[in-house]
Amino acid sequence: MKKLVSVTTDGAPAMVGRRAGLIGLLMVDSDFPNFQAYHCIIHQQALCSKLKDDALQNVMNIAVKIVNFIRAHPLNHRQFKTLLEEYECNYGDFVLHTDVRWLSKGKVLARFWDLIQEVKIFLRLKNKEEFLKFQEMPVFIVRLAFLTDITDHLNKLNLKLQGRYQILPTLMTEITVFETKLDLFISQLNIPIVIPE
């Protein structure tokens, strides 16, 4: 144990607690050398990707409700799959959203975006005006496109941070590159555009 230089945890109290947590216990134990304690870089990224903006959270909630409306009712699901076959879509179905997996949100949004025209047709056939009205709003479409794009970038970053034999300098470089991309995105967002209401 004398060669221990760092310990990485997920931030749970049982791991990082000063008295009863693993890190606290290791620091007071004389058998362990001085080491650095880190919070898992992937877990930090996942926490940062949680939606704080109410407007974007609303877009995500609506997209998930629409997908669940289609997927949760067997008749709707079969009819939607038939519609996709008739329109010869690249996809034969939706991905079901779960809060458990971090990739789930991005996959649902990407598939929803790719099938948005077919979803509109299906909602018209089902007379679901409460969902259809959102897809007719340009502001909703722009926010959906932004949310789909940014979650795709976050998912790609998350995949780069995973895997065996990753070393900290490489991971930090990936984070720095992503921060630079975010700065570019922010500068592009500051360019004024006109969205019809």
Side-chain angles (χ1 to χ4, degrees), residues 121-132:
I121 292 167
F122 186 76
L123 293 175
R124 276 194 194 100
L125 292 171
K126 290 292 187 176
N127 294 318
K128 289 306 245 178
E129 291 300 321
E130 67 269 24
F131 293 141
L132 196 54

Side-chain angles (χ1 to χ4, degrees), residues 48-63:
C48 290
S49 68
K50 298 270 188 214
L51 291 176
K52 298 291 183 204
D53 182 56
D54 289 341
L56 293 178
Q57 183 63 52
N58 189 38
V59 168
M60 183 65 204
N61 291 342
I62 292 165

Side-chain angles (χ1 to χ4, degrees), residues 95-115:
V95 177
L96 195 58
H97 171 66
T98 63
D99 283 322
V100 177
R101 303 205 51 221
W102 55 267
L103 272 175
S104 175
K105 191 178 292 184
K107 287 181 178 181
V108 168
L109 286 171
R111 185 71 56 93
F112 187 82
W113 179 255
D114 289 341
L115 296 173

Side-chain angles (χ1 to χ4, degrees), residues 34-50:
N34 289 337
F35 62 90
Q36 291 291 320
Y38 294 102
H39 190 233
C40 176
I41 201 164
I42 295 174
H43 192 255
Q44 285 178 341
Q45 182 272 327
L47 290 173
C48 290
S49 68
K50 298 270 188 214

